[in-house]
Amino acid sequence: MTHKLQAFRGALVDFVGDPNELGDNACRSFADGVLVVRDGRVENIGPAHELLAQLPPEVNVIDYRGRLILPGFVDTHIHYAQTDMIGSYGEQLLAWLENYTFPTERAFEDPDHAREVAGFFVEELLRNGTTTAMVFATVHRNSVDAIFEAAATRDLCLVAGKVMMDRNCPQFLRDTPASSYEDGSALIERWHGKGRLRYAVTPRFAPTSSDAQLTMAARLLDEHPGVHLQSHAAENPQEVRWVAELFPWSRSYLDVYDRFGLLRERAVFAHCIHLDEADRRRLAASGAAASFCATSNLFLGSGLFDVQRAAEAGMRVGIGTDVGAGTSFSMLRTLDECYKVTQLAGQRLSPLRAFYLATLGGARSLYLDDTIGNFEAGKYADFVVLDPQATPLLARRMAHMQRLADRLFLLLTLGDDRAVAATYVAGRAVHARAGSGARDSAHRGQNCLQMP
Ligand SMILES: [Zn+2]
Protein backbone atom coordinates (compact mmCIF):
# COMPACT_ATOMS: atom_id res chain seq x y z
CA MET A 1 0.00 0.00 0.00
CA THR A 2 1.21 3.46 -0.83
CA HIS A 3 0.87 6.32 1.60
CA LYS A 4 0.96 9.18 -0.81
CA LEU A 5 -1.93 10.83 -2.54
CA GLN A 6 -2.28 9.59 -6.14
CA ALA A 7 -4.32 10.79 -9.09
CA PHE A 8 -5.21 9.02 -12.35
CA ARG A 9 -6.59 10.91 -15.31
CA GLY A 10 -8.62 9.30 -18.11
CA ALA A 11 -12.16 8.42 -19.13
CA LEU A 12 -13.69 7.12 -15.89
CA VAL A 13 -16.53 4.61 -15.99
CA ASP A 14 -18.20 2.77 -13.13
CA PHE A 15 -21.63 1.57 -12.02
CA VAL A 16 -23.68 2.61 -9.02
CA GLY A 17 -26.43 0.06 -9.65
CA ASP A 18 -27.90 -2.47 -12.05
CA PRO A 19 -28.78 -0.96 -15.47
CA ASN A 20 -31.83 -3.25 -15.47
CA GLU A 21 -33.15 -1.22 -12.54
CA LEU A 22 -31.64 2.22 -13.03
CA GLY A 23 -31.25 2.39 -16.79
CA ASP A 24 -28.48 4.69 -17.97
CA ASN A 25 -28.35 6.24 -14.49
CA ALA A 26 -26.66 3.07 -13.30
CA CYS A 27 -23.52 4.14 -15.14
CA ARG A 28 -21.37 7.05 -14.00
CA SER A 29 -18.80 8.39 -16.41
CA PHE A 30 -16.43 11.31 -16.89
CA ALA A 31 -14.98 11.65 -20.39
CA ASP A 32 -12.00 13.50 -18.91
CA GLY A 33 -12.02 12.48 -15.29
CA VAL A 34 -9.69 12.08 -12.36
CA LEU A 35 -9.60 9.27 -9.82
CA VAL A 36 -8.01 10.43 -6.57
CA VAL A 37 -6.55 7.70 -4.37
CA ARG A 38 -5.27 7.99 -0.81
CA ASP A 39 -3.56 5.12 0.94
CA GLY A 40 -4.79 2.67 -1.67
CA ARG A 41 -8.44 3.69 -1.36
CA VAL A 42 -10.63 5.82 -3.55
CA GLU A 43 -10.89 9.31 -2.15
CA ASN A 44 -12.80 11.02 -4.92
CA ILE A 45 -13.70 10.94 -8.60
CA GLY A 46 -14.92 13.73 -10.82
CA PRO A 47 -14.23 15.84 -13.87
CA ALA A 48 -10.57 16.73 -14.42
CA HIS A 49 -11.20 20.45 -14.66
CA GLU A 50 -12.58 20.43 -11.11
CA LEU A 51 -10.38 17.93 -9.32
CA LEU A 52 -7.00 18.88 -10.79
CA ALA A 53 -7.34 22.38 -9.35
CA GLN A 54 -7.91 20.91 -5.87
CA LEU A 55 -4.86 18.64 -5.85
CA PRO A 56 -1.71 19.70 -4.02
CA PRO A 57 0.89 20.74 -6.61
CA GLU A 58 3.33 17.98 -5.70
CA VAL A 59 0.87 15.20 -6.62
CA ASN A 60 1.86 13.33 -9.75
CA VAL A 61 -1.05 12.76 -12.09
CA ILE A 62 -0.79 9.47 -13.99
CA ASP A 63 -2.09 10.42 -17.40
CA TYR A 64 -4.31 7.84 -19.09
CA ARG A 65 -6.12 10.24 -21.37
CA GLY A 66 -7.45 8.31 -24.37
CA ARG A 67 -7.97 5.21 -22.19
CA LEU A 68 -10.89 4.03 -20.07
CA ILE A 69 -10.45 3.51 -16.35
CA LEU A 70 -12.93 0.99 -14.89
CA PRO A 71 -13.17 -0.88 -11.60
CA GLY A 72 -11.16 -4.11 -11.75
CA PHE A 73 -13.06 -7.10 -13.09
CA VAL A 74 -14.57 -9.58 -10.63
CA ASP A 75 -14.44 -13.20 -11.81
CA THR A 76 -17.00 -15.11 -9.74
CA HIS A 77 -15.97 -18.62 -10.79
CA ILE A 78 -12.58 -20.05 -11.77
CA HIS A 79 -10.35 -23.07 -11.00
CA TYR A 80 -6.70 -22.16 -10.62
CA ALA A 81 -5.62 -25.79 -10.77
CA GLN A 82 -7.12 -26.08 -14.26
CA THR A 83 -4.86 -23.42 -15.77
CA ASP A 84 -2.88 -26.14 -17.55
CA MET A 85 -5.89 -27.92 -19.03
CA ILE A 86 -7.56 -25.16 -21.01
CA GLY A 87 -8.38 -26.42 -24.46
CA SER A 88 -8.73 -30.11 -23.58
CA TYR A 89 -10.60 -31.64 -26.48
CA GLY A 90 -13.83 -33.42 -27.02
CA GLU A 91 -15.83 -34.06 -23.86
CA GLN A 92 -18.91 -32.89 -22.04
CA LEU A 93 -18.95 -32.34 -18.30
CA LEU A 94 -18.81 -35.78 -16.68
CA ALA A 95 -16.31 -37.38 -19.06
CA TRP A 96 -14.31 -34.16 -19.05
CA LEU A 97 -13.97 -34.36 -15.26
CA GLU A 98 -12.94 -38.00 -15.45
CA ASN A 99 -10.51 -37.73 -18.34
CA TYR A 100 -8.92 -34.34 -17.80
CA THR A 101 -9.81 -32.66 -14.50
CA PHE A 102 -9.12 -35.35 -11.96
CA PRO A 103 -5.70 -36.34 -13.36
CA THR A 104 -4.71 -32.65 -13.60
CA GLU A 105 -5.81 -31.87 -10.06
CA ARG A 106 -3.92 -34.86 -8.68
CA ALA A 107 -0.65 -33.05 -9.34
CA PHE A 108 -1.51 -30.46 -6.69
CA GLU A 109 -0.56 -32.83 -3.91
CA ASP A 110 2.94 -31.48 -4.71
CA PRO A 111 3.25 -28.07 -2.96
CA ASP A 112 5.94 -26.86 -5.37
CA HIS A 113 3.69 -27.55 -8.34
CA ALA A 114 0.79 -25.79 -6.62
CA ARG A 115 2.92 -22.72 -5.91
CA GLU A 116 4.22 -22.53 -9.47
CA VAL A 117 0.74 -22.72 -11.00
CA ALA A 118 -0.73 -20.30 -8.42
CA GLY A 119 1.91 -17.69 -9.27
CA PHE A 120 1.23 -17.95 -12.99
CA PHE A 121 -2.52 -17.94 -12.42
CA VAL A 122 -2.52 -14.73 -10.39
CA GLU A 123 -0.33 -12.99 -12.97
CA GLU A 124 -2.73 -14.09 -15.69
CA LEU A 125 -5.69 -12.66 -13.77
CA LEU A 126 -3.93 -9.31 -13.48
CA ARG A 127 -2.82 -9.32 -17.12
CA ASN A 128 -6.51 -9.55 -17.97
CA GLY A 129 -7.62 -6.80 -15.59
CA THR A 130 -9.22 -9.13 -13.05
CA THR A 131 -8.54 -7.90 -9.53
CA THR A 132 -10.85 -10.20 -7.56
CA ALA A 133 -11.76 -13.82 -8.19
CA MET A 134 -13.60 -16.62 -6.44
CA VAL A 135 -11.33 -19.58 -6.90
CA PHE A 136 -11.55 -23.35 -6.57
CA ALA A 137 -8.32 -24.91 -5.33
CA THR A 138 -8.13 -28.73 -5.23
CA VAL A 139 -8.89 -31.30 -2.55
CA HIS A 140 -5.35 -30.80 -1.20
CA ARG A 141 -4.99 -28.46 1.75
CA ASN A 142 -1.66 -27.11 0.54
CA SER A 143 -3.26 -26.08 -2.77
CA VAL A 144 -5.25 -23.49 -0.81
CA ASP A 145 -2.12 -22.22 0.94
CA ALA A 146 -0.47 -21.79 -2.47
CA ILE A 147 -3.21 -19.65 -4.01
CA PHE A 148 -3.64 -17.50 -0.90
CA GLU A 149 0.11 -16.95 -0.65
CA ALA A 150 0.21 -15.84 -4.29
CA ALA A 151 -2.69 -13.44 -3.75
CA ALA A 152 -1.34 -12.08 -0.46
CA THR A 153 1.99 -11.01 -1.97
CA ARG A 154 0.04 -8.81 -4.40
CA ASP A 155 -2.55 -7.59 -1.83
CA LEU A 156 -5.36 -9.07 -3.93
CA CYS A 157 -8.91 -9.41 -2.71
CA LEU A 158 -9.39 -13.12 -3.40
CA VAL A 159 -11.85 -15.79 -2.26
CA ALA A 160 -10.75 -19.43 -2.38
CA GLY A 161 -11.33 -22.78 -0.77
CA LYS A 162 -10.39 -26.45 -0.57
CA VAL A 163 -12.49 -28.77 -2.69
CA MET A 164 -14.58 -31.19 -0.62
CA MET A 165 -15.09 -34.48 -2.44
CA ASP A 166 -15.66 -37.83 -0.73
CA ARG A 167 -17.34 -40.01 -3.36
CA ASN A 168 -17.79 -40.61 -7.10
CA CYS A 169 -14.23 -39.59 -7.88
CA PRO A 170 -10.87 -41.38 -7.96
CA GLN A 171 -9.58 -42.62 -4.61
CA PHE A 172 -6.51 -40.40 -4.91
CA LEU A 173 -8.68 -37.26 -4.75
CA ARG A 174 -11.03 -38.27 -1.94
CA ASP A 175 -11.26 -36.70 1.47
CA THR A 176 -13.78 -37.64 4.16
CA PRO A 177 -16.50 -35.66 5.90
CA ALA A 178 -14.32 -35.45 9.00
CA SER A 179 -11.06 -34.55 7.22
CA SER A 180 -12.77 -31.95 5.04
CA TYR A 181 -14.24 -30.37 8.16
CA GLU A 182 -10.89 -30.34 9.93
CA ASP A 183 -9.03 -28.99 6.91
CA GLY A 184 -11.71 -26.38 6.31
CA SER A 185 -11.62 -25.23 9.94
CA ALA A 186 -7.83 -24.95 9.89
CA LEU A 187 -7.76 -23.08 6.58
CA ILE A 188 -10.45 -20.64 7.73
CA GLU A 189 -8.43 -19.99 10.85
CA ARG A 190 -5.26 -19.42 8.84
CA TRP A 191 -6.59 -17.37 5.92
CA HIS A 192 -10.10 -15.99 6.27
CA GLY A 193 -9.95 -12.24 6.90
CA LYS A 194 -6.16 -12.14 6.65
CA GLY A 195 -5.57 -8.96 4.70
CA ARG A 196 -7.99 -9.04 1.79
CA LEU A 197 -8.34 -12.83 1.64
CA ARG A 198 -11.60 -14.68 2.22
CA TYR A 199 -12.35 -18.37 2.56
CA ALA A 200 -15.05 -20.26 0.65
CA VAL A 201 -16.35 -23.65 1.73
CA THR A 202 -16.10 -25.60 -1.53
CA PRO A 203 -18.04 -28.83 -2.10
CA ARG A 204 -17.23 -29.56 -5.77
CA PHE A 205 -20.82 -30.44 -6.68
CA ALA A 206 -23.59 -32.56 -5.22
CA PRO A 207 -22.56 -35.85 -6.93
CA THR A 208 -19.12 -35.90 -5.31
CA SER A 209 -20.21 -35.21 -1.73
CA SER A 210 -22.06 -37.60 0.57
CA ASP A 211 -24.92 -36.43 2.75
CA ALA A 212 -22.50 -36.40 5.67
CA GLN A 213 -20.07 -34.13 3.82
CA LEU A 214 -22.76 -31.67 2.68
CA THR A 215 -23.84 -31.52 6.33
CA MET A 216 -20.24 -30.71 7.30
CA ALA A 217 -20.13 -27.94 4.69
CA ALA A 218 -23.15 -26.28 6.30
CA ARG A 219 -21.58 -26.75 9.73
CA LEU A 220 -18.44 -24.89 8.62
CA LEU A 221 -20.60 -22.03 7.38
CA ASP A 222 -22.66 -21.93 10.56
CA GLU A 223 -19.57 -21.91 12.74
CA HIS A 224 -17.85 -19.17 10.74
CA PRO A 225 -20.22 -16.35 9.83
CA GLY A 226 -18.89 -14.33 6.92
CA VAL A 227 -17.24 -17.31 5.24
CA HIS A 228 -18.37 -17.89 1.63
CA LEU A 229 -19.57 -20.97 -0.22
CA GLN A 230 -18.88 -21.96 -3.82
CA SER A 231 -20.10 -24.94 -5.82
CA HIS A 232 -21.60 -25.96 -9.16
CA ALA A 233 -25.29 -26.43 -9.97
CA ALA A 234 -27.40 -27.60 -12.91
CA GLU A 235 -24.67 -27.38 -15.52
CA ASN A 236 -25.31 -30.33 -17.82
CA PRO A 237 -28.47 -32.41 -18.53
CA GLN A 238 -26.73 -35.74 -17.87
CA GLU A 239 -25.41 -34.36 -14.57
CA VAL A 240 -28.91 -33.17 -13.62
CA ARG A 241 -30.29 -36.68 -14.21
CA TRP A 242 -27.49 -38.18 -12.12
CA VAL A 243 -28.26 -35.84 -9.21
CA ALA A 244 -31.92 -36.90 -9.39
CA GLU A 245 -30.79 -40.54 -9.04
CA LEU A 246 -28.37 -39.82 -6.20
CA PHE A 247 -30.87 -37.73 -4.25
CA PRO A 248 -34.24 -39.29 -5.14
CA TRP A 249 -36.06 -37.25 -2.49
CA SER A 250 -35.02 -33.94 -4.07
CA ARG A 251 -37.43 -31.70 -5.98
CA SER A 252 -34.58 -30.42 -8.17
CA TYR A 253 -30.79 -30.20 -8.31
CA LEU A 254 -30.81 -26.88 -6.47
CA ASP A 255 -33.14 -28.35 -3.87
CA VAL A 256 -30.33 -30.69 -2.78
CA TYR A 257 -28.22 -27.72 -1.70
CA ASP A 258 -31.24 -26.09 -0.14
CA ARG A 259 -32.05 -29.12 2.04
CA PHE A 260 -28.50 -29.13 3.36
CA GLY A 261 -28.66 -25.42 4.19
CA LEU A 262 -26.22 -24.31 1.54
CA LEU A 263 -28.45 -21.83 -0.29
CA ARG A 264 -27.60 -18.66 1.55
CA GLU A 265 -25.95 -15.29 1.33
CA ARG A 266 -22.29 -15.36 0.18
CA ALA A 267 -22.91 -18.60 -1.74
CA VAL A 268 -22.12 -18.71 -5.46
CA PHE A 269 -23.31 -21.55 -7.70
CA ALA A 270 -21.63 -21.78 -11.07
CA HIS A 271 -23.77 -22.29 -14.18
CA CYS A 272 -27.39 -22.67 -12.92
CA ILE A 273 -28.46 -23.40 -16.50
CA HIS A 274 -31.11 -26.08 -16.03
CA LEU A 275 -33.30 -24.41 -13.40
CA ASP A 276 -37.05 -24.02 -13.24
CA GLU A 277 -38.97 -21.02 -11.98
CA ALA A 278 -39.24 -22.38 -8.45
CA ASP A 279 -35.45 -22.79 -8.38
CA ARG A 280 -34.89 -19.24 -9.59
CA ARG A 281 -37.24 -17.76 -7.05
CA ARG A 282 -35.69 -19.80 -4.25
CA LEU A 283 -32.15 -18.85 -5.31
CA ALA A 284 -33.10 -15.18 -5.38
CA ALA A 285 -34.83 -15.34 -1.99
CA SER A 286 -31.88 -17.11 -0.39
CA GLY A 287 -29.45 -14.34 -1.34
CA ALA A 288 -27.16 -16.80 -3.12
CA ALA A 289 -25.78 -15.93 -6.55
CA ALA A 290 -25.37 -17.63 -9.91
CA SER A 291 -22.17 -17.36 -11.91
CA PHE A 292 -22.75 -17.06 -15.67
CA CYS A 293 -19.83 -18.87 -17.32
CA ALA A 294 -20.51 -18.45 -21.01
CA THR A 295 -17.25 -19.68 -22.56
CA SER A 296 -17.35 -22.80 -20.41
CA ASN A 297 -21.02 -23.48 -21.12
CA LEU A 298 -20.40 -23.28 -24.86
CA PHE A 299 -17.12 -25.19 -24.76
CA LEU A 300 -18.62 -28.14 -22.84
CA GLY A 301 -21.92 -27.89 -24.71
CA SER A 302 -23.74 -27.53 -21.38
CA GLY A 303 -26.50 -25.14 -22.36
CA LEU A 304 -27.54 -21.50 -22.32
CA PHE A 305 -27.84 -19.54 -19.07
CA ASP A 306 -31.12 -17.60 -19.03
CA VAL A 307 -30.06 -14.05 -18.18
CA GLN A 308 -33.53 -12.62 -18.60
CA ARG A 309 -35.34 -15.07 -16.36
CA ALA A 310 -32.58 -14.76 -13.76
CA ALA A 311 -33.09 -11.00 -13.73
CA GLU A 312 -36.88 -11.30 -13.61
CA ALA A 313 -36.60 -13.62 -10.61
CA GLY A 314 -34.33 -11.11 -8.86
CA MET A 315 -31.30 -13.43 -8.77
CA ARG A 316 -27.85 -12.12 -8.01
CA VAL A 317 -25.68 -12.84 -11.04
CA GLY A 318 -21.97 -12.49 -11.65
CA ILE A 319 -19.71 -13.48 -14.52
CA GLY A 320 -17.28 -16.40 -14.31
CA THR A 321 -14.56 -17.47 -16.70
CA ASP A 322 -14.58 -21.03 -15.29
CA VAL A 323 -11.07 -21.73 -16.52
CA GLY A 324 -10.23 -24.52 -17.47
CA ALA A 325 -13.58 -25.49 -19.05
CA GLY A 326 -13.79 -21.80 -19.81
CA THR A 327 -11.51 -20.87 -22.66
CA SER A 328 -10.15 -17.52 -21.55
CA PHE A 329 -9.01 -15.62 -18.46
CA SER A 330 -10.29 -12.48 -20.16
CA MET A 331 -13.55 -11.05 -18.85
CA LEU A 332 -13.84 -9.17 -22.16
CA ARG A 333 -13.76 -12.44 -24.10
CA THR A 334 -16.21 -13.91 -21.59
CA LEU A 335 -18.64 -11.00 -21.89
CA ASP A 336 -18.50 -11.40 -25.66
CA GLU A 337 -19.67 -15.01 -25.31
CA CYS A 338 -22.28 -13.97 -22.72
CA TYR A 339 -23.70 -11.61 -25.32
CA LYS A 340 -23.83 -14.40 -27.91
CA VAL A 341 -25.57 -16.74 -25.45
CA THR A 342 -28.30 -14.17 -24.90
CA GLN A 343 -28.63 -13.74 -28.67
CA LEU A 344 -29.18 -17.49 -29.07
CA ALA A 345 -31.95 -17.24 -26.46
CA GLY A 346 -33.59 -14.37 -28.31
CA GLN A 347 -32.54 -11.97 -25.56
CA ARG A 348 -30.14 -9.08 -25.37
CA LEU A 349 -27.32 -8.21 -22.99
CA SER A 350 -26.62 -4.49 -23.17
CA PRO A 351 -23.01 -3.35 -22.98
CA LEU A 352 -23.71 -1.36 -19.84
CA ARG A 353 -25.25 -4.37 -18.09
CA ALA A 354 -22.42 -6.59 -19.27
CA PHE A 355 -19.78 -4.34 -17.70
CA TYR A 356 -21.96 -3.91 -14.60
CA LEU A 357 -22.09 -7.70 -14.19
CA ALA A 358 -18.33 -7.95 -14.60
CA THR A 359 -17.67 -5.32 -11.90
CA LEU A 360 -20.28 -4.26 -9.32
CA GLY A 361 -22.57 -7.21 -10.13
CA GLY A 362 -19.72 -9.59 -9.34
CA ALA A 363 -18.88 -7.71 -6.15
CA ARG A 364 -22.53 -7.94 -5.08
CA SER A 365 -22.61 -11.67 -5.85
CA LEU A 366 -19.66 -12.12 -3.50
CA TYR A 367 -21.05 -9.69 -0.90
CA LEU A 368 -17.86 -7.68 -1.25
CA ASP A 369 -19.46 -4.54 -2.64
CA ASP A 370 -18.67 -2.69 0.57
CA THR A 371 -14.98 -2.67 -0.45
CA ILE A 372 -14.80 -3.28 -4.23
CA GLY A 373 -16.87 -3.06 -7.42
CA ASN A 374 -16.94 0.66 -8.16
CA PHE A 375 -15.27 3.98 -7.35
CA GLU A 376 -17.27 4.95 -4.29
CA ALA A 377 -15.13 6.81 -1.77
CA GLY A 378 -13.47 4.48 0.71
CA LYS A 379 -13.38 1.43 -1.54
CA TYR A 380 -10.10 -0.11 -2.62
CA ALA A 381 -8.57 1.49 -5.69
CA ASP A 382 -8.63 -1.76 -7.70
CA PHE A 383 -8.98 -0.78 -11.33
CA VAL A 384 -8.21 -1.63 -14.92
CA VAL A 385 -7.08 0.73 -17.68
CA LEU A 386 -8.49 -0.28 -21.07
CA ASP A 387 -6.95 0.86 -24.33
CA PRO A 388 -9.56 1.43 -27.07
CA GLN A 389 -6.72 1.58 -29.60
CA ALA A 390 -5.05 -1.64 -28.49
CA THR A 391 -5.18 -3.29 -31.91
CA PRO A 392 -5.38 -1.87 -35.43
CA LEU A 393 -8.93 -3.16 -35.84
CA LEU A 394 -10.09 -1.76 -32.48
CA ALA A 395 -8.58 1.61 -33.35
CA ARG A 396 -10.18 1.58 -36.80
CA ARG A 397 -13.66 0.72 -35.52
CA MET A 398 -13.38 2.89 -32.41
CA ALA A 399 -12.75 5.95 -34.57
CA HIS A 400 -16.42 5.85 -35.52
CA MET A 401 -17.76 5.27 -32.01
CA GLN A 402 -18.83 8.26 -29.98
CA ARG A 403 -21.28 6.88 -27.40
CA LEU A 404 -19.80 5.23 -24.32
CA ALA A 405 -22.09 2.19 -24.67
CA ASP A 406 -20.86 1.65 -28.25
CA ARG A 407 -17.23 1.95 -27.17
CA LEU A 408 -17.76 -0.55 -24.36
CA PHE A 409 -19.53 -2.95 -26.69
CA LEU A 410 -16.67 -2.79 -29.16
CA LEU A 411 -14.19 -3.46 -26.35
CA LEU A 412 -16.06 -6.60 -25.35
CA THR A 413 -16.47 -7.70 -28.97
CA LEU A 414 -12.87 -7.18 -30.10
CA GLY A 415 -10.96 -6.84 -26.84
CA ASP A 416 -8.83 -9.29 -24.90
CA ASP A 417 -5.70 -9.06 -22.75
CA ARG A 418 -4.15 -6.76 -25.38
CA ALA A 419 -6.74 -4.13 -24.46
CA VAL A 420 -5.63 -4.13 -20.82
CA ALA A 421 -3.07 -1.33 -20.67
CA ALA A 422 -2.62 -1.57 -16.91
CA THR A 423 -4.08 -3.10 -13.77
CA TYR A 424 -3.95 -1.56 -10.30
CA VAL A 425 -4.59 -3.14 -6.93
CA ALA A 426 -5.08 -0.80 -3.97
CA GLY A 427 -3.56 2.00 -6.04
CA ARG A 428 -0.46 0.03 -6.94
CA ALA A 429 0.39 -0.90 -10.53
CA VAL A 430 0.49 -4.70 -10.69
CA HIS A 431 0.45 -5.01 -14.47
CA ALA A 432 1.44 -2.67 -17.28
CA ARG A 433 1.30 -3.82 -20.88
CA ALA A 434 4.52 -3.17 -22.73
CA GLY A 435 4.21 -0.18 -25.04
CA SER A 436 0.91 0.85 -23.52
CA GLY A 437 2.12 3.05 -20.69
CA ALA A 438 0.80 6.25 -19.21
CA ARG A 439 2.41 9.62 -18.92
CA ASP A 440 3.37 10.31 -15.33
CA SER A 441 3.62 13.99 -14.69
CA ALA A 442 3.19 16.65 -12.07
CA HIS A 443 -0.13 18.02 -13.17
CA ARG A 444 1.05 21.56 -13.37
CA GLY A 445 4.35 20.60 -14.94
CA GLN A 446 5.26 19.76 -18.51
CA ASN A 447 7.52 16.77 -17.85
CA CYS A 448 6.09 13.54 -19.16
CA LEU A 449 7.61 10.17 -18.29
CA GLN A 450 6.76 6.86 -19.90
CA MET A 451 5.78 4.18 -17.44
CA PRO A 452 7.66 0.92 -17.82
ZN1 LIG B 1 -16.27 -24.73 -12.43
Side-chain angles (χ1 to χ4, degrees), residues 129-376:
T130 299
T131 51
T132 288
M134 189 179 219
V135 183
F136 269 60
T138 66
V139 74
H140 312 96
R141 190 159 143 175
N142 64 272
S143 73
V144 181
D145 294 330
I147 188 63
F148 277 141
E149 283 162 9
T153 59
R154 295 154 178 94
D155 203 21
L156 279 193
C157 174
L158 191 111
V159 188
K162 187 202 98 78
V163 168
M164 302 168 76
M165 189 156 63
D166 69 347
R167 64 168 180 169
N168 292 324
C169 65
Q171 199 62 44
F172 57 76
L173 283 179
R174 274 183 212 194
D175 57 10
T176 68
S179 74
S180 63
Y181 172 78
E182 285 158 22
D183 285 346
S185 302
L187 288 164
I188 290 166
E189 186 68 30
R190 186 181 307 165
W191 293 110
H192 183 69
K194 182 177 178 185
R196 304 184 65 191
L197 306 176
R198 325 265 314 179
Y199 191 80
V201 174
T202 309
R204 171 167 233 118
F205 67 152
T208 47
S209 285
S210 63
D211 287 14
Q213 187 165 59
L214 292 171
T215 303
M216 284 300 183
R219 184 173 159 193
L220 282 169
L221 293 167
D222 290 339
E223 289 177 355
H224 303 279
V227 161
H228 302 252
L229 176 119
Q230 58 182 343
S231 193
H232 300 88
E235 178 175 0
N236 166 291
Q238 193 187 351
E239 170 212 20
V240 172
R241 286 194 293 275
W242 191 24
V243 168
E245 288 165 19
L246 291 169
F247 302 91
W249 46 263
S250 63
R251 194 200 69 79
S252 68
Y253 192 145
L254 205 67
D255 186 43
V256 174
Y257 296 129
D258 202 7
R259 295 277 187 98
F260 285 98
L262 301 179
L263 282 195
R264 56 171 81 197
E265 294 181 356
R266 294 184 184 79
V268 175
F269 295 92
H271 313 304
C272 295
I273 293 168
H274 307 284
L275 302 185
D276 62 17
E277 280 312 301
D279 287 330
R280 288 191 188 89
R281 281 197 302 276
R282 178 64 195 119
L283 192 70
S286 73
S291 181
F292 179 10
C293 305
T295 76
S296 167
N297 299 158
L298 295 172
F299 184 76
L300 292 182
S302 301
L304 308 177
F305 178 75
D306 196 321
V307 180
Q308 194 170 309
R309 285 209 172 94
E312 286 165 3
M315 281 165 51
R316 286 175 190 249
V317 174
I319 305 294
T321 58
D322 195 24
V323 164
T327 50
S328 176
F329 278 77
S330 168
M331 291 293 271
L332 296 174
R333 300 303 332 118
T334 306
L335 291 178
D336 184 34
E337 300 301 305
C338 290
Y339 174 77
K340 294 171 187 169
V341 165
T342 61
Q343 284 284 61
L344 281 168
Q347 304 172 6
R348 201 168 284 171
L349 178 63
S350 77
L352 291 186
R353 185 144 203 271
F355 277 87
Y356 158 78
L357 290 175
T359 56
L360 184 62
R364 286 176 167 179
S365 294
L366 301 179
Y367 287 77
L368 294 174
D369 51 310
D370 56 335
T371 56
I372 60 165
N374 63 13
F375 294 137
E376 274 172 30

Side-chain angles (χ1 to χ4, degrees), residues 393-411:
L393 183 57
L394 260 172
R396 184 182 176 91
R397 287 285 289 126
M398 204 61 83
H400 304 289
M401 298 293 182
Q402 300 305 321
R403 291 174 59 239
L404 175 64
D406 294 335
R407 295 170 73 81
L408 289 174
F409 189 60
L410 201 53
L411 273 165

Side-chain angles (χ1 to χ4, degrees), residues 73-75 77-86 117-133 135 147 295 319-324 326-335 416-417 420:
F73 296 127
V74 179
D75 186 341
H77 182 69
I78 188 166
H79 302 253
Y80 97 83
Q82 296 178 19
T83 299
D84 290 331
M85 53 174 286
I86 290 183
V117 177
F120 179 89
F121 170 87
V122 167
E123 287 302 314
E124 195 65 13
L125 289 181
L126 298 173
R127 229 166 52 72
N128 283 281
T130 299
T131 51
T132 288
V135 183
I147 188 63
T295 76
I319 305 294
T321 58
D322 195 24
V323 164
T327 50
S328 176
F329 278 77
S330 168
M331 291 293 271
L332 296 174
R333 300 303 332 118
T334 306
L335 291 178
D416 51 32
D417 55 305
V420 176

